[in-house]
Each structure stands twice: as structure tokens, then as C-alpha cells.
Amino acid sequence: MKRQSYGFKLLTAVLAALTLSGTATAGKPLVPFKGQSTGVISTLGFDPELGVVSTRAEGQGEATHLGRFTVTNEVSIYVFTPTGVAIGNWIYVTANGDKLFVHMVGSGGPDPLHGIGNFTITGGTGRFRGASGSYQQIITFAAPPSPGTLVVAYSDVLYNGSISYPGEE
């Protein structure tokens, strides 16, 4: 009985925390978010048993609410899936050092030179502390990514997005 009671208390605490965090962010307005970046993607490794390509990208760009930024990410691409599912985390750093943290789940696009990602804004530092939102992105590769490719250039466009953040602290 104690174990069941503990589980119920834990569930109640988690639900309360989620409710409070939802209430805290509900007052911030969502505003449009769009931009673009360019850079290079480097292959870090390939696990042939799992069919996972590990990559790291570094780039720069400009977006609404960020201004000019640099961006880095580490993405795992699961090549044994029909469309090459990609999952990773991105960090945007603005000119003043504020950071925006983003989680991405994506897949291949309509052809080998394109990928599509759905991004969830998970927070940040400075004016982006407590940020939330989402956007979609189309990435264009200079060459089709593959396990044998070590470095490939990319360009992307952020579209259909929105962001909510508290602003300057």
C-alpha cells in the first residue's frame, strides 16, 4: 500500500509542476519566428549495427528575435528507417551571448538534397530563459548526406514558426 501511495504522490507532484509551468508560460504572447542560416555538417561517426550516423553542424545566420547568431547542433540520423529519421539538439547564440535551446526531430525531404525538421524551443539563457515555441525548417544540402560523406555544406530556411520569451531580464 505504501508503494502505491508513493506512486500517487509522485504523479500528483509531477502534474502540479507541469500545471504551474504551463501557467507561467501561458501569459507570454507567441510571436512569429523565421530566419535562415548556412554552415557545414561534419560526420562524427557511424554505427553500422544500429545504422546511426552522428553529425555536428556549425553555422551562422539571422532570425527574428535573435538577430545575427551562430548555431551548433549534434544530430543522430537513423539510416535504417525509410526516410532517415534525425533527432538532435541545437543551440543558437546571439551577438550578446544569449542562447536559445531547441530540440529537433526530422526526416528526409522530397529528394536526397533536402531534409525537413520539426523543432521545439525548450528554453535558453538571458532574454530567452523560459522561452518556448516551435517551428519547421527545410534544409538544403550541397550534396546528399551519406555515411561516407565527412563534411557537407548546408543552407536552411526556418518557416511556420512562433516563439514566446519573457524578454530582457
Side-chain angles (χ1 to χ4, degrees), residues 98-111:
D98 291 350
K99 295 178 181 177
L100 184 67
F101 305 131
V102 181
H103 179 73
M104 183 270 306
V105 176
S107 65
D111 58 61

Side-chain angles (χ1 to χ4, degrees), residues 3-14:
R3 181 176 270 186
Q4 206 173 29
S5 174
Y6 175 77
F8 180 75
K9 288 178 184 176
L10 181 61
L11 176 62
T12 303
V14 169

Side-chain angles (χ1 to χ4, degrees), residues 16-33:
L18 290 173
T19 301
L20 291 174
S21 68
T23 304
T25 60
K28 296 180 274 181
L30 282 171
V31 291
F33 181 58

Side-chain angles (χ1 to χ4, degrees), residues 6-162:
Y6 175 77
F8 180 75
K9 288 178 184 176
L10 181 61
L11 176 62
T12 303
V14 169
L15 289 174
L18 290 173
T19 301
L20 291 174
S21 68
T23 304
T25 60
K28 296 180 274 181
L30 282 171
V31 291
F33 181 58
K34 59 184 173 179
Q36 61 185 30
S37 71
T38 59
V40 295
I41 301 171
S42 302
T43 300
L44 301 177
F46 176 65
D47 182 332
E49 284 186 35
L50 297 176
V52 177
V53 178
S54 299
T55 66
R56 177 175 174 81
E58 297 179 355
Q60 60 282 327
E62 190 167 354
T64 54
H65 311 287
L66 274 76
R68 293 192 183 278
F69 62 82
T70 60
V71 62
T72 58
N73 71 53
E74 293 200 5
V75 174
S76 296
I77 304 166
Y78 297 83
V79 297
F80 291 161
T81 61
T83 59
V85 172
I87 300 172
N89 294 299
W90 298 55
I91 300 174
Y92 294 90
V93 181
T94 64
N96 73 348
D98 291 350
K99 295 178 181 177
L100 184 67
F101 305 131
V102 181
H103 179 73
M104 183 270 306
V105 176
S107 65
D111 58 61
L113 293 179
H114 293 91
I116 299 172
N118 292 304
F119 292 74
T120 302
I121 299 168
T122 60
T125 66
R127 72 179 182 270
F128 298 112
R129 193 170 124 223
S132 61
S134 63
Y135 62 92
Q136 292 182 316
Q137 176 182 15
I138 295 178
I139 187 167
T140 302
F141 304 103
S146 66
T149 306
L150 296 179
V151 176
V152 64
Y154 78 88
S155 62
D156 64 26
V157 177
L158 314 175
Y159 70 104
N160 290 338
S162 57

